[in-house]
Amino acid sequence: MRARQAGAGLGLAVLTALAVAGCGGSDEIDGAPPRADRPSASRSTSPSTSPSGSRSPSAKPSVSAADGRDVAACADGNCEIAVSGPVTVRFKSPAGPATLSVTEVGPNKVEYTVKSGNGRSQGGASGPGQGCITVLRDHGSSNSCGRVGTMRPAAQPGAVVILMASGEDGTAILRIVSR
């Protein structure tokens, strides 16, 4: 009799599992029913992503820049551009030609390297409103990272000021000011 009850209990467990697996609507995520704290597939507000996890090209950045995405606008040492991936920017500095290489941009994250004359400076920040300011002078540079928000750097005599601010959507703002 015990073997029969055990078999009936096992059969009931299997039927229950099958019934639960078969239930559900289009709002389920990974087989779990929708909850108030989880967005449903039909109510999602996040930008579309590719299978690799990167934003689709049609996703619009939440920030706009005076010079758009035109890297060439920085050649004279004065620009404001939006950056959403690795890019190299060439511009004039007090020590001669300079190169800023953005190595990583992501949601609320940015990393870059600046080479000018014989000097090199690196900056990186992550978190909402975070970024870095680099000041290039004829004989050196300084770098400071932290909360930059939407500040606009002021020109300094004999210097180029670079501000790189991370953005929520993976688009950073690069401002270069020399006059």
Side-chain angles (χ1 to χ4, degrees):
M1 181 83 170
R2 275 195 158 200
R4 192 179 216 185
Q5 287 176 337
L10 179 62
L12 184 58
V14 169
L15 284 175
T16 302
L18 289 173
V20 169
C23 293
S26 62
D27 282 350
E28 287 189 0
I29 298 174
D30 297 328
R35 299 188 328 224
D37 63 333
R38 279 177 48 173
S40 71
S42 62
R43 294 184 301 242
S44 177
T45 58
S46 62
S48 61
T49 58
S50 70
S52 67
S54 62
R55 283 188 8 260
S56 68
S58 63
K60 298 282 185 202
S62 63
V63 295
S64 61
D67 297 308
R69 295 182 179 272
D70 184 11
V71 174
C74 298
D76 67 351
N78 291 285
C79 66
E80 178 183 85
I81 62 172
V83 178
S84 57
V87 67
T88 299
V89 180
R90 291 175 175 74
F91 59 96
K92 295 177 186 176
S93 81
T99 303
L100 182 145
S101 298
V102 177
T103 55
E104 186 174 351
V105 177
N108 295 315
K109 183 174 185 173
V110 66
E111 291 183 10
Y112 66 97
T113 301
V114 181
K115 294 178 184 173
S116 175
N118 291 326
R120 178 181 169 167
S121 183
Q122 290 182 284
S126 62
Q130 300 293 304
C132 298
I133 296 175
T134 301
V135 180
L136 303 176
R137 297 192 185 283
D138 188 21
H139 296 290
S141 64
S142 64
N143 200 46
S144 177
C145 296
R147 183 132 182 92
V148 295
T150 58
M151 73 181 291
R152 297 193 182 273
Q156 296 182 18
V160 173
V161 181
I162 301 165
L163 175 118
M164 190 71 150
S166 65
E168 285 182 4
D169 68 347
T171 300
I173 291 294
L174 169 63
R175 293 183 177 107
I176 300 177
V177 179
S178 64
R179 53 182 147 100

